[in-house]
Amino acid sequence: MSGAAETWLTGHEPQALKTLKRFCRIPSISADPAYAASVREAAGFVASLLYDAGFPEVSIEETGGSPAVLAEWGGLPDAPTVLVYGHYDVQPPDPLGAWTSPPFEPTVRDDRLYARGVSDDKGPLLIPILVAKAYRETGERPPVNLKFLVEGEEESGSPNFEPTVARLKDRLAADLVLSADGAMWRADLPSVTVASRGLLGLDVRLTGAAKDLHSGRHGGSAPNPVRALVAMLASLHDADGNVLVEGFADGATPPDPAILAAIRAARFDPAAYLAEIGAPVPEPLPTGEALLERQWLHPTLEFNGVSGGYAGAGSKTVIPAEASAKITCRLVAGQEPDAVFAAIRRHLEGATPPGYHLAVERHGPGSVAFALDPASRGLAIAEEVLTDVLGAKPLRVAMGATIPIGAVFKRHLGTDAVFFSFSTADEDYHAPNEFFRLASFRTGLKAWVRMLEKLAAEARPTARRPGGS
Amino acid sequence: MSGAAETWLTGHEPQALKTLKRFCRIPSISADPAYAASVREAAGFVASLLYDAGFPEVSIEETGGSPAVLAEWGGLPDAPTVLVYGHYDVQPPDPLGAWTSPPFEPTVRDDRLYARGVSDDKGPLLIPILVAKAYRETGERPPVNLKFLVEGEEESGSPNFEPTVARLKDRLAADLVLSADGAMWRADLPSVTVASRGLLGLDVRLTGAAKDLHSGRHGGSAPNPVRALVAMLASLHDADGNVLVEGFADGATPPDPAILAAIRAARFDPAAYLAEIGAPVPEPLPTGEALLERQWLHPTLEFNGVSGGYAGAGSKTVIPAEASAKITCRLVAGQEPDAVFAAIRRHLEGATPPGYHLAVERHGPGSVAFALDPASRGLAIAEEVLTDVLGAKPLRVAMGATIPIGAVFKRHLGTDAVFFSFSTADEDYHAPNEFFRLASFRTGLKAWVRMLEKLAAEARPTARRPGGS
């Protein structure tokens, strides 16, 4: 069976590319209300692709924001059920002038397709849809029970995603989630992401006098919230950037030795990294291992913004009435957002000097770190397939960013999510000139066929369900 | 003579008020280019008042910005020459909605005239013009050689004032400057301002990566300029707000014992001050003496603004590429702006961690502190007159804000400037509902007559010139 589907896909590459281009022509920018109609058009496009691929049940689900697309193709009681996750919305294309070809006019150059959203996530999402279609076109059906949940708000922080999963949990029930989103780390190193950090956001506001004051007339006798706030913020870290908040790391578990081994294996080049982000090279230069450990395995307390008083041209002799900071923390396994928030608030309260008023406001519940069970069968099978198609065993890596879907599916469905995407983190997916390697498109089609086959074969002799540990 | 002029002024109060109202109807807002024509109209109004008062030479002097008005009434070779300083421009009236009566429709309530600019500086400036007119109307001329320099950019930072004084210095030559600008400190305490702090402004900008980065993907491995900057800024002060910069206070002279005595005599109420500015009351409450010493006699390094990264609603998971701060320092006697700037830059350079780029930019040359020679005869005579008209010997006080004119006249004319204004610092002159006490208007008319008489009398027997020490 696998042979027929793969052969069909190989023979229909031009059509597949054409479909991907049509998908990428829809400016489904979820962050901009002006594109609401295009977002709905993209949802309809995905639904029609799934219907065309043979899914007997396809529905567009209202979420309160952009709709989600749900598809189900059951009917194999002895086969496992796989839920595919992806998203059809895209990042805004600004700055437009920096694009070589227009963001919504997909263009092939050097075996890459350039378009907004092609790598994140329209190309990777189209792969499993085309794989389902290949089975149908060759007179078969996919070898597992297959479901899709495709959301339209991933680039806007997925505000309605968790409630939608909770509401639809019976229809979404599966043995394994395969995410078509979540790029591979590097083009030159096969990898699979098995852990990500959690998130907690908060705002800090410090108030002195009731109004801005003249810094000449009042300087020295009036409170200056900028002066007080910078001292309070400075007390949150030591000189090396380690967080000094008591209780901040309570409960944090030691780093996974497998990830530490992956960091050693990755041979991360610190100078190349600093050149990539355009930062001055510090003396002494940290090791690549130290940088990756800080990026993947250490918690952070990061200032996303600070403001207070005058920021325009020239001078304004003012003592501002207030000063603010925006903070997000990335959390490691074992850290609880509630406890972290309480620890930071306590620290700031203790650091507030007399004569100022402090307000600390939390942004939502936050999310815990995500780690896939290292013994997950789904993960092991994915690694076998990736070894097969990429020619080398993939490294199990972590990432610094937060992937909320892993924790959401685990919480509401009890199901592991394995990242099985064929985009790569260097494909400028939040920047101008986003592209998707067409070689990855071809590899991905092959890999998804083999993945579904292996999951079916795994279940066949023993009826053992993958995904459990 | 004095008697006749005073009597004439007393008999013409309604006309004087009418003239002041006409002056206040002109919206001479120098900061807003939309009011350029009104600014010129106000210059013409002042020139015509001076001509009407009898000045034989009146000219409108171009400065590159708003014009200045220059008037001269010489002809008394044995009498001293007094140069009167004032300004005809006003602050913007925003927020308009907060005014009880419109800012450019002068309205009397409770023996106060409410209008934008009435206290700062149209009322106090009109007083010496009316005094000159009173001499003329009573068949005399002022008993001293009298000059006026009235600028139109005081509320915009006087960008063209010093070059204008330098250019016109021969025509401005005088034995004493009397400033009609510079409010008295408190309505309940006669005072004369004899010292003010200097000023130095600078911008600090710290850069990390070349662009904003995702705080999840890069948090921990990328430089965060906000984190580094708050630590650098925090290192500039101790917990009590004292400046920790090495060399910052080099050359500073000890506080003038007379000012310290004035601080003790002033019985400054710290709780009332904090209530006035709307600041939370610290525990322990500082003494009033400590607050006034900090406001008048200590140098400051004040943060006027801090900015970097995201300041909007909600969260943005960004590591900003740069962070900035705006600083102004108030300097005490003996501190040199050049040396203070060098000390701060050296401190910040030393505090910059590896992996960041620092830029420090200075705003103009700054200005040294101003202190009137305590032995100035002009000051002594002013004190006698104030004792006479106010019924109590005025306190010699300092102020935290910078008064550049004192240093400018001293530098270019070699002349002391004595503040002889009859507005009061509580008259909301940079806020809505600015007013001028009509009692102060009447007192001021009387005081200026007596001041000119005393200056003339002082010179008569011995030809001794006031203003020297």
Side-chain angles (χ1 to χ4, degrees):
Chain A
M1 291 176 274
S2 140
E6 271 194 52
T7 304
W8 186 89
L9 287 164
T10 308
H12 289 78
E13 272 173 25
Q15 290 87 337
L17 180 60
K18 206 169 155 187
T19 304
L20 179 54
K21 283 182 172 178
R22 281 176 54 213
F23 195 6
C24 291
R25 275 194 196 98
I26 307 170
S28 47
I29 306 162
S30 58
D32 188 342
Y35 290 86
S38 296
V39 166
R40 296 233 153 221
E41 182 187 341
F45 186 85
V46 170
S48 79
L49 284 180
L50 287 161
Y51 188 78
D52 179 56
F55 282 78
E57 291 176 65
V58 181
S59 61
I60 290 187
E61 298 289 333
E62 294 303 328
T63 67
S66 308
V69 183
L70 178 59
E72 299 168 68
W73 195 338
L76 298 177
D78 296 329
T81 299
V82 173
L83 171 62
V84 177
Y85 166 82
H87 64 91
Y88 64 79
D89 64 319
V90 304
Q91 280 274 315
D94 317 83
L96 281 172
W99 285 78
T100 302
S101 50
F104 298 107
E105 295 179 19
T107 306
V108 175
R109 292 192 297 275
D110 300 331
D111 202 39
R112 296 168 165 193
L113 183 61
Y114 284 82
R116 168 53 80 228
V118 66
S119 169
D120 182 16
D121 175 42
K122 287 177 174 174
L125 169 62
L126 185 58
I127 292 173
I129 300 176
L130 290 174
V131 164
K133 182 181 169 77
Y135 280 104
R136 186 191 184 213
E137 293 285 340
T138 53
E140 300 279 348
R141 55 151 292 152
V144 297
N145 299 298
L146 204 53
K147 297 180 179 179
F148 272 75
L149 178 65
V150 185
E151 71 159 318
E153 298 186 317
E154 202 277 339
E155 302 296 1
S156 305
S158 299
N160 299 294
F161 183 68
E162 182 158 7
T164 301
V165 171
R167 184 169 61 82
L168 300 174
K169 69 176 183 175
D170 293 338
R171 290 168 65 192
L172 294 172
D175 299 295
L176 179 69
V177 173
L178 286 179
S179 174
D181 189 34
M184 281 201 201
W185 182 37
R186 281 158 54 180
D188 60 349
L189 185 74
S191 66
V192 57
T193 302
V194 298
S196 70
R197 295 187 290 191
L199 181 65
L200 170 73
L202 58 142
D203 281 0
V204 181
R205 192 156 59 91
L206 194 71
T207 316
K211 56 186 172 184
D212 289 1
L213 297 172
H214 190 286
S215 68
R217 211 183 143 210
H218 294 277
S221 55
N224 186 325
V226 174
R227 171 160 54 81
L229 185 66
V230 297
M232 291 164 64
L233 298 180
S235 75
L236 293 165
H237 297 92
D238 69 14
D240 296 321
N242 300 305
V243 178
L244 290 179
V245 175
E246 198 180 321
F248 177 74
D250 277 5
T253 54
D256 180 347
I259 304 289
L260 287 170
I263 285 174
R264 285 190 296 274
R267 298 179 180 282
F268 190 65
D269 180 344
Y273 171 71
L274 292 167
E276 181 200 323
I277 64 172
V281 176
E283 176 65 48
L285 183 67
T287 66
E289 290 182 22
L291 280 184
L292 266 196
E293 276 187 43
R294 284 176 168 271
Q295 197 183 90
W296 291 358
L297 299 176
H298 289 198
T300 67
L301 189 164
E302 205 76 72
F303 303 124
N304 306 118
V306 65
S307 59
Y310 185 63
S315 245
K316 186 177 178 190
T317 51
V318 67
I319 299 176
E322 66 172 54
S324 303
K326 287 185 173 283
I327 294 173
T328 49
C329 301
R330 300 290 164 164
L331 310 180
V332 301
Q335 281 183 296
E336 284 297 330
D338 288 355
V340 170
F341 177 73
I344 295 171
R345 186 168 57 185
R346 202 163 45 235
H347 180 105
L348 290 171
E349 284 167 354
T352 303
Y356 295 88
H357 175 71
L358 171 73
V360 183
E361 189 197 345
R362 181 170 171 178
H363 290 300
S367 51
V368 297
F370 166 72
L372 191 56
D373 183 339
S376 157
R377 274 303 296 160
L379 174 60
I381 295 171
E383 287 175 322
E384 286 171 26
V385 171
L386 290 172
T387 306
D388 183 17
V389 298
L390 298 173
K393 187 172 190 318
L395 209 54
R396 291 186 177 188
V397 299
M399 68 185 294
T402 302
I403 308 175
I405 63 147
V408 168
F409 285 124
K410 191 74 181 177
R411 193 176 306 127
H412 295 282
L413 309 184
T415 308
D416 281 339
V418 170
F419 291 88
F420 204 68
S421 166
F422 287 83
S423 63
T424 315
D426 68 350
E427 290 175 337
D428 285 329
Y429 40 73
H430 285 196
N433 301 309
E434 177 175 353
F435 66 93
F436 183 43
R437 290 176 172 88
L438 294 178
S440 302
F441 195 31
R442 293 185 285 267
T443 303
L445 289 165
K446 194 182 299 179
W448 273 86
V449 171
R450 297 186 189 178
M451 185 73 194
L452 299 188
E453 294 292 334
K454 265 192 190 290
L455 287 167
E458 172 90 1
R460 216 166 289 131
T462 63
R464 180 180 177 183
R465 294 288 168 97
S469 58
Chain B
M1 289 177 277
S2 141
E6 272 193 51
T7 304
W8 185 89
L9 287 164
T10 307
H12 289 79
E13 270 173 24
Q15 291 87 337
L17 180 61
K18 205 168 156 189
T19 304
L20 179 55
K21 284 182 173 178
R22 282 175 55 210
F23 195 6
C24 292
R25 276 194 194 98
I26 307 171
S28 46
I29 306 163
S30 58
D32 188 341
Y35 289 86
S38 296
V39 167
R40 296 230 154 225
E41 182 188 340
F45 185 84
V46 170
S48 80
L49 284 181
L50 287 162
Y51 188 77
D52 179 57
F55 281 78
E57 292 177 64
V58 180
S59 61
I60 289 186
E61 298 289 332
E62 293 304 327
T63 67
S66 307
V69 182
L70 178 58
E72 298 167 70
W73 195 340
L76 297 177
D78 295 329
T81 300
V82 173
L83 171 62
V84 177
Y85 166 82
H87 64 92
Y88 64 78
D89 64 321
V90 303
Q91 280 273 317
D94 316 85
L96 281 172
W99 285 78
T100 301
S101 50
F104 298 108
E105 296 179 20
T107 307
V108 175
R109 291 194 295 277
D110 300 331
D111 204 37
R112 297 167 165 193
L113 183 62
Y114 284 82
R116 168 53 81 228
V118 67
S119 169
D120 184 13
D121 177 38
K122 288 177 174 175
L125 169 62
L126 185 59
I127 292 173
I129 300 177
L130 290 174
V131 164
K133 183 181 167 76
Y135 282 103
R136 186 189 185 219
E137 295 284 342
T138 52
E140 301 278 346
R141 54 151 294 151
V144 298
N145 299 298
L146 203 54
K147 298 180 179 179
F148 271 75
L149 178 65
V150 185
E151 71 159 318
E153 298 185 317
E154 203 276 340
E155 302 297 359
S156 305
S158 298
N160 299 292
F161 182 68
E162 182 157 7
T164 301
V165 171
R167 183 169 63 80
L168 301 174
K169 68 176 182 177
D170 293 338
R171 291 168 65 194
L172 294 172
D175 299 294
L176 179 69
V177 172
L178 285 179
S179 175
D181 189 33
M184 281 202 202
W185 182 37
R186 280 158 55 180
D188 60 350
L189 186 74
S191 66
V192 56
T193 302
V194 298
S196 71
R197 295 187 291 190
L199 181 67
L200 169 74
L202 59 143
D203 281 1
V204 180
R205 191 156 58 92
L206 193 72
T207 316
K211 55 187 172 183
D212 288 0
L213 298 171
H214 191 286
S215 68
R217 211 183 142 208
H218 294 277
S221 54
N224 186 326
V226 174
R227 172 161 54 82
L229 185 67
V230 297
M232 291 164 65
L233 298 180
S235 75
L236 294 166
H237 297 92
D238 68 14
D240 296 322
N242 300 305
V243 179
L244 291 178
V245 175
E246 199 181 319
F248 177 75
D250 277 5
T253 54
D256 180 347
I259 303 288
L260 287 170
I263 286 174
R264 284 190 297 274
R267 300 181 179 280
F268 190 64
D269 180 343
Y273 171 70
L274 292 167
E276 180 200 324
I277 65 173
V281 176
E283 178 64 50
L285 182 69
T287 65
E289 290 182 20
L291 280 184
L292 265 195
E293 275 188 42
R294 285 177 168 271
Q295 196 184 89
W296 290 357
L297 297 176
H298 289 198
T300 68
L301 189 165
E302 205 75 71
F303 302 124
N304 307 118
V306 65
S307 59
Y310 185 63
S315 244
K316 187 177 178 190
T317 51
V318 66
I319 299 177
E322 66 172 54
S324 304
K326 288 185 174 283
I327 294 173
T328 49
C329 300
R330 299 290 164 165
L331 310 181
V332 300
Q335 280 183 297
E336 283 297 331
D338 288 357
V340 170
F341 177 72
I344 295 171
R345 185 168 58 186
R346 200 161 50 235
H347 180 104
L348 290 171
E349 284 167 354
T352 303
Y356 295 88
H357 174 72
L358 171 73
V360 183
E361 189 198 343
R362 181 170 171 178
H363 290 300
S367 51
V368 297
F370 165 73
L372 191 58
D373 183 338
S376 157
R377 274 302 296 158
L379 174 61
I381 295 170
E383 288 175 322
E384 287 171 26
V385 171
L386 290 172
T387 305
D388 183 16
V389 297
L390 299 173
K393 188 172 189 319
L395 209 55
R396 290 187 178 188
V397 299
M399 67 185 294
T402 302
I403 308 175
I405 62 147
V408 168
F409 286 123
K410 190 73 182 177
R411 193 176 305 127
H412 296 282
L413 310 183
T415 308
D416 281 340
V418 171
F419 292 89
F420 203 68
S421 167
F422 287 82
S423 63
T424 314
D426 68 350
E427 290 176 337
D428 286 327
Y429 40 73
H430 286 198
N433 301 308
E434 177 174 353
F435 66 93
F436 184 44
R437 290 176 172 87
L438 293 178
S440 302
F441 194 32
R442 293 184 285 266
T443 304
L445 289 165
K446 194 182 302 180
W448 274 86
V449 171
R450 297 187 189 181
M451 184 74 194
L452 299 187
E453 295 292 334
K454 266 193 190 286
L455 287 166
E458 173 92 359
R460 216 166 288 130
T462 62
R464 182 180 174 184
R465 294 287 168 97
S469 58

